[in-house]
Amino acid sequence: MRAVLIVNPNATSTTPAGRDLLAHALESRVTLTVEHTNHRGHAIEIARDAARDGVDVLIVHGGDGTVNEVVNGVLGDCGTRPDAGQAPAVAVVPGGSANVFARALGISPDPIEATNQLVDLLGGYRLGRPWRRIGLMDCGERWGVFTAGMGVDGDVVAAVEAQRAKGRKVTASRYIRVAVREVLASARKEPTLTLHLPDTDPVGGVHFAFVSNSSPWTYANSRPVWTNPETTFDTGLGVFATTSMNIWANLRLVRQMVARKPRLAAKHLIRDDNVSSVTVTSTTPVACQIDGDYIGERETMTFSSVPQALSVVAPPQKSD
């Protein structure tokens, strides 16, 4: 079995020692090549070349942004249904700050434990166990793995990226401070978004919209933050949007989002945990993010569910 280990050396929790330990462990299971990213979009290039070369597995040691790049390199352009059986499988050993995708797959956030999981899973495949397949989001211009957002969510990601560009370390507390600041600023703005869901009339007056492909939405350190608890990699997409920026109403909603047993309900909340697609339009350009990566301002975005689009090296989906 041939594998390429793609390492983002600038990710929050990657270290040379951790990389070497991971590579040494993997060499007992696969014929391994190690590649390091050195610029934005580099992981797309590495993954695309590896897929063309017939590599069996791409192993990502980095954060969610690197995972997104690898998936886009493997699958190529949106708009056509990918053949997950022909593309390389994707594995993740967490190396970022939130590592939402890895956790949603059932991979330990601890790199050493995740390495042990990966070695066992690769051994299972050699014994004939199939790769797990998951659905993805077709976002029109790129593939989304687990989350996307328009409005204040995009503003938060843009602001965090600006701080990272200045050399500031991104931590959960810094992210929360930025989020609070952007939410307060957004509360003073008129809503510009309209939500277009299948078989329903458009809903205007929307302040922000989240679209998710799994749960939870993200993590604040070890605490999960929920928007669509029933959304998984095996369902349609989750939609979470609000028609009010009232501070008190949204504080109550935030309490529900971080509860151990989330029960999300509010008069100003529009939520569906299983839709085939959703289009969000805006009267003016608004910030947009995909998988925690700021992609700029957009007036229209359509997100579509594509079932079983990607093979992954991960534990089986837990049954209810």
Side-chain angles (χ1 to χ4, degrees):
M1 188 190 309
R2 296 168 61 210
V4 174
L5 172 61
I6 301 174
V7 181
N8 179 357
N10 296 317
T12 304
S13 56
T14 57
T15 64
R19 174 207 59 204
D20 293 345
L21 178 64
L22 172 59
H24 180 72
L26 291 172
E27 285 169 347
S28 67
R29 296 292 189 191
V30 298
T31 301
L32 188 68
T33 301
V34 181
E35 299 278 1
H36 293 79
T37 62
N38 56 35
H39 60 266
R40 189 165 186 161
H42 194 190
I44 295 177
E45 300 164 10
I46 296 170
R48 182 173 58 233
D49 291 344
R52 289 172 177 170
D53 194 36
V55 167
D56 300 294
V57 183
L58 296 176
I59 302 161
V60 185
H61 185 35
D64 290 312
T66 308
V67 171
N68 179 278
E69 287 194 6
V70 168
V71 170
N72 276 275
V74 166
L75 299 184
D77 294 338
C78 295
T80 59
R81 184 182 177 112
D83 185 349
Q86 297 299 316
V90 174
V92 184
V93 174
S97 53
N99 303 303
V100 180
F101 179 65
R103 296 192 202 193
L105 285 177
I107 301 297
S108 171
D110 179 81
I112 294 177
E113 291 182 13
T115 298
N116 292 332
Q117 277 184 287
L118 178 56
V119 170
D120 290 343
L121 290 164
L122 291 171
Y125 178 75
R126 293 172 68 92
L127 295 175
R129 296 175 194 161
W131 299 132
R132 178 177 166 189
R133 293 189 180 182
I134 64 170
L136 295 177
M137 291 189 293
D138 180 341
C139 302
E141 56 194 75
R142 67 192 292 181
W143 294 98
V145 178
F146 60 97
T147 60
M150 289 184 71
V152 68
D153 186 47
D155 291 327
V156 171
V157 171
V160 169
E161 286 194 5
Q163 296 207 5
R164 182 186 285 117
K166 296 177 181 177
R168 297 174 183 171
K169 185 177 180 180
V170 177
T171 63
S173 59
R174 183 181 296 279
Y175 196 96
I176 290 170
R177 289 197 300 271
V178 171
V180 169
R181 185 189 70 201
E182 295 299 329
V183 168
L184 291 175
S186 179
R188 297 189 291 269
K189 300 176 182 178
E190 291 296 318
T192 66
L193 303 182
T194 298
L195 205 61
H196 306 261
L197 293 168
D199 303 320
T200 62
D201 293 332
V203 180
V206 172
H207 287 267
F208 63 83
F210 300 160
V211 183
S212 58
N213 189 47
S214 64
S215 294
W217 170 256
T218 188
Y219 288 84
N221 289 325
S222 61
R223 182 181 288 274
V225 180
W226 306 89
T227 57
N228 298 87
E230 302 302 318
T231 300
T232 73
F233 291 119
D234 301 312
T235 68
L237 304 179
V239 177
F240 183 101
T242 69
T243 55
S244 172
M245 289 301 291
N246 178 274
I247 297 298
W248 299 112
N250 283 304
L251 282 174
R252 288 191 292 270
L253 189 56
V254 168
R255 288 183 61 186
Q256 297 175 22
M257 293 168 67
V258 298
R260 295 188 182 278
K261 295 183 178 180
R263 296 179 181 178
L264 299 165
K267 291 181 179 180
H268 67 297
L269 175 63
I270 304 165
R271 194 188 118 226
D272 194 319
D273 289 2
N274 186 10
V275 300
S276 58
S277 66
V278 56
T279 296
V280 185
T281 59
S282 177
T283 56
T284 61
V286 296
C288 183
Q289 67 87 13
I290 298 175
D291 289 343
D293 184 18
Y294 178 61
I295 65 168
E297 294 186 336
R298 302 288 187 274
E299 293 184 6
T300 301
M301 290 291 292
T302 295
F303 308 93
S304 303
S305 174
V306 182
Q308 297 192 343
L310 182 72
S311 294
V312 293
V313 185
Q317 170 71 25
K318 292 182 179 179
S319 58
D320 295 331

